Amino acid sequence: MTYTYIQSPLEQFEINSLMGINAPLFGYAELSLTNIGLYFILAFLVIVGFNVIASNNNKIIANKYSITQESLYTTILNMVETQIASPKGQYYFPFIYCLFMLVLVGNFIGMVPYSFAITSHLIFTLAVSMTILIAVTIIGFSEHGLKFFSYFVPAGTPLALVPLLVLIELISYIAKGLSLGIRLGANIMAGHMLTKIIGGFIYQIMAASPLMFVIGIIPLVLLVGITGLELAIAFIQAYVFAILTCSYIKDSLDLH
Amino acid sequence: MNVSLTIFFCEELIMNPLIFAASVIVAGLAMGLASIGPGVGQGTAAGQAVEGIARQLEAEGKIRGTLLLSLAFMEALTIYGLVVVTTNDNAVIYVECYNNFVKEEK
């Protein structure tokens, strides 16, 4: 019987290559399917499978997946139309829906024990959030032309303070994109690190002696509570990501 | 956690214990200071939300939604502190292992 040993609580975040190709394509570049790629494919299959089951062979009578799908659709559509209160609000609904579903399903797949959380990697969340920042800038320029730069000058500032204020507003604009990615990635990463470290300590407590086994049930109950908190954070962070993206799109469409 | 992770990742002797001691102190200080602001803010927000629900029981759904959204924002500020501690951790491990590796080669 093989005995697998996790050496450190940070080993859950390692990206390992599962299947690789070593060929003279792109100059011996390392083309491989990594474990994070596998979990992205798994999230994709969960979302598509859910939608296929919810379509219910095109019957009119809904099964429970169908009702869930319609309720999810309506919730996100309401969120998008409330946040982006403009005639163009509905254009961005498919994007926000896909973003919300990917982050939500990714967070929930990561909560399964011995699994891998794709949203805990800052490289993924920062890539998405910086892309959203660039996209919002392009939306602003395409909508307002060069008047988009009036976004950086708040209303009613004296003319002498304008250069300093534009600099501060520019830095705050870039920080918006950075904070969106870091908020999601760091929350999920911190939650997973916390549960694994506490789990390691609880194992050492409970493996010591029968008395310590009984005493160790108290921190175990605490760990169950922390896992429940992590599930709530998984859902809330997905919601916050989607609603902040809507808010940035609205800021750039309306210029305050 | 800094010292134990270094023992996991590079088995050479730890050459400069001052750096590890400093990074441990900084980790504690950073996390402690980073928890003050969001703690006060989240407490105030929750208090105002409870008062709002007490005044008008029909608006409970909206108030709860707004409260959860605001709590997520304030939670992110503490998590920034944790990110700084983790980055400091990784930098110390990397720099110390690199220095040890270079000294071993000489």
Side-chain angles (χ1 to χ4, degrees), chain A residues 7 179 183 186-187 190 240 243-244, chain B residues 8 72-73 76 79-80 82-83:
Chain A
Q7 307 280 19
S179 80
R183 178 183 300 114
N187 261 306
V240 162
I243 210 168
L244 272 181
Chain B
F8 281 129
F73 283 127
I79 301 288
Y80 293 162
L82 187 69
V83 167

Side-chain angles (χ1 to χ4, degrees), chain A residues 103-225:
Chain A
V103 174
L104 186 72
V105 171
N107 285 349
F108 278 148
I109 285 180
M111 285 310 298
V112 172
Y114 290 106
S115 149
F116 185 89
I118 53 180
T119 43
S120 73
H121 284 269
L122 280 175
I123 199 171
F124 166 59
T125 55
L126 275 175
V128 172
S129 80
M130 294 309 280
T131 307
I132 288 175
L133 186 72
I134 295 174
V136 156
T137 314
I138 293 178
I139 289 174
F141 276 126
S142 84
E143 182 79 13
H144 299 282
L146 280 179
K147 287 199 179 133
F148 179 66
F149 285 110
S150 75
Y151 176 71
F152 296 119
V153 181
T157 59
L159 196 57
L161 279 179
V162 162
L164 183 65
L165 214 53
V166 164
L167 194 61
I168 295 179
E169 286 283 328
L170 267 174
I171 295 177
S172 137
Y173 189 71
I174 296 177
K176 269 196 324 194
L178 280 177
S179 80
L180 188 65
I182 290 185
R183 178 183 300 114
L184 175 64
N187 261 306
I188 305 294
M189 176 170 69
H192 281 264
M193 265 203 296
L194 185 68
T195 49
K196 300 314 188 282
I197 290 175
I198 290 185
F201 285 146
I202 288 179
Y203 173 76
Q204 288 178 354
I205 289 176
M206 293 181 95
S209 76
L211 174 66
M212 299 309 285
F213 186 86
V214 172
I215 292 180
I217 290 184
I218 302 170
L220 197 58
V221 169
L222 184 68
L223 183 63
V224 170

Side-chain angles (χ1 to χ4, degrees), chain B residues 70-89:
Chain B
S70 315
L71 286 180
F73 283 127
M74 287 182 270
E75 192 66 37
L77 298 175
T78 297
I79 301 288
Y80 293 162
L82 187 69
V83 167
V84 165
V85 167
T86 310
T87 318
N88 185 24
D89 230 4

Side-chain angles (χ1 to χ4, degrees), chain B residues 56-98:
Chain B
Q56 191 177 358
L57 277 167
E58 301 94 40
E60 186 195 343
K62 279 194 186 167
I63 292 179
R64 185 191 303 141
T66 311
L67 173 69
L68 283 178
L69 187 66
S70 315
L71 286 180
F73 283 127
M74 287 182 270
E75 192 66 37
L77 298 175
T78 297
I79 301 288
Y80 293 162
L82 187 69
V83 167
V84 165
V85 167
T86 310
T87 318
N88 185 24
D89 230 4
N90 291 340
V92 161
I93 292 170
Y94 183 72
V95 167
E96 282 299 298
C97 288
Y98 180 73

